[in-house]
Amino acid sequence: QVQLVESGGGLVQAGGSLRLSCAASGRTFSNYVMGWFRQAPGKEREFVAAISWIVGRTYYTDSVKGRFTISRDNAENTLYLLMNSLKPEDTAVYYCAARSAPYGNTLYYTSADYKYWGQGTQVTVSS
């Protein structure tokens, strides 16, 4: 079992930055693929970014490429999402997710692929 707790959300003006954190506990964090998803009001949950458990392999949805950076600190059991140049359309509840993977360079891109989820943190970007 893995427990995930997000933090770092808030209200920011367009063009600003936020860094989300996701603290993991319960199992060996370093062997898990980690992802960030978001859900805006009235919309389906969507993939944002993922990082393999061998640090260095990442993947982003097109709308955040060049603005968001996913990273992880396996020693601290923490996942991060640095969000720059925020836009009003980035407003959503952001969730971190985790699942084990057979290989260190594996990535997963859909919510159905992930087994463990945090409770979410609200990000609101004002125009």
Side-chain angles (χ1 to χ4, degrees):
Q1 194 76 5
V2 174
Q3 293 79 43
L4 303 172
V5 179
E6 302 97 335
S7 61
L11 174 65
V12 63
Q13 287 190 330
S17 299
L18 281 175
R19 189 179 78 159
L20 305 184
S21 299
C22 173
S25 62
R27 296 292 292 270
T28 305
F29 175 78
S30 59
N31 292 345
Y32 280 71
V33 175
M34 303 297 296
W36 286 100
F37 290 77
R38 64 187 180 186
Q39 188 167 19
K43 295 189 176 181
E44 305 234 336
R45 188 173 298 188
E46 66 169 349
F47 170 80
V48 175
I51 187 166
S52 64
W53 55 266
I54 289 181
V55 176
R57 184 157 191 241
T58 59
Y59 187 79
Y60 301 88
T61 192
D62 285 346
S63 63
V64 307
K65 283 181 182 176
R67 300 189 298 123
F68 290 12
T69 303
I70 187 172
S71 62
R72 64 191 295 164
D73 184 336
N74 288 342
E76 296 295 328
N77 287 355
T78 304
L79 175 72
Y80 300 100
L81 185 68
L82 176 61
M83 306 185 294
N84 294 322
S85 303
L86 282 162
K87 304 175 181 179
E89 51 264 44
D90 294 318
T91 294
V93 177
Y94 283 71
Y95 299 89
C96 68
R99 67 156 289 165
S100 60
Y103 305 106
N105 60 353
T106 301
L107 289 173
Y108 298 101
Y109 315 110
T110 70
S111 56
D113 289 324
Y114 288 83
K115 183 174 181 180
Y116 303 106
W117 292 85
Q119 83 290 347
T121 186
Q122 176 71 47
V123 172
T124 303
V125 185
S126 63
S127 57

